[in-house]
Amino acid sequence: ALAEGWSNLGVLHLADKEFDAAIAAFTAALKARPDLADAANGLGVALTETGRATEAIATFDRALTSMPPDWRNRADTVANRAVALQKLERWSDALADLTTACALLPGRSSVWRALAKSLTALGRIGEAEAACTRALALDPGDNDARYDRAFVRLLARSEEHTSELQSPMYLVCRL
């Protein structure tokens, strides 16, 4: 119960964007119970948010290793690892995780938007547009998905500028 209490505290800190406090709480939870996958997932999110993506990926890997294949939050952990991979511009690795996450979480627009980001970075513009369209179908009020779809449509129409607009620096700034 102690580990779960620390983990729940970490979740509250994440919700308040108090990432250092979340890291401390999740770390305490994992010290009390190293196999607590929810705490490892939360720790990975907090690490990603504080620019520690490499550590986050290792933490997500540990969470995925310690959880059963049918664990209820497995898909979230895979999607969260993909975000950390994107922070390191490991687009192909992120794409693999996001393909899995989209299959497991087909109704979550944020996963489809993240998929579009990796597809765009890899120059797969038509697929990126389809992913943005899927995100909008799931959440018509998602203005980020609307903007991202307009962006990938611009890329598709701007053949002479495509390589310049696809630069990883531009993507990091926008998507």
Side-chain angles (χ1 to χ4, degrees), residues 6-16 22 25-26 38 42:
W6 279 114
S7 185
N8 290 339
L9 182 60
V11 170
L12 293 173
H13 286 307
L14 270 182
D16 290 338
F26 288 128
D38 284 327

Side-chain angles (χ1 to χ4, degrees), residues 41-83:
N41 183 43
L43 177 59
V45 171
L47 290 168
T48 301
E49 290 292 336
T50 58
R52 296 161 62 184
T54 300
E55 289 175 73
I57 292 165
T59 303
F60 291 130
D61 289 344
R62 185 172 74 210
L64 290 165
T65 301
S66 68
M67 67 179 67
D70 61 345
W71 184 59
R72 62 181 164 58
N73 289 334
R74 184 175 201 77
D76 289 319
T77 303
V78 170
N80 290 336
R81 181 176 63 186
V83 171

Side-chain angles (χ1 to χ4, degrees), residues 66-135:
S66 68
M67 67 179 67
D70 61 345
W71 184 59
R72 62 181 164 58
N73 289 334
R74 184 175 201 77
D76 289 319
T77 303
V78 170
N80 290 336
R81 181 176 63 186
V83 171
L85 289 163
Q86 287 178 328
K87 299 272 185 190
L88 298 175
E89 298 182 12
R90 291 176 51 189
W91 304 114
S92 294
D93 294 333
L95 179 61
D97 274 359
L98 288 163
T99 300
T100 298
C102 285
L104 296 171
L105 300 167
R108 187 166 304 160
S109 65
S110 61
V111 176
W112 289 96
R113 270 198 347 263
L115 178 69
K117 180 177 181 176
S118 286
L119 288 166
T120 302
L122 293 168
R124 295 166 61 176
I125 305 305
E127 293 170 83
E129 181 179 354
C132 289
T133 299
R134 178 72 183 264

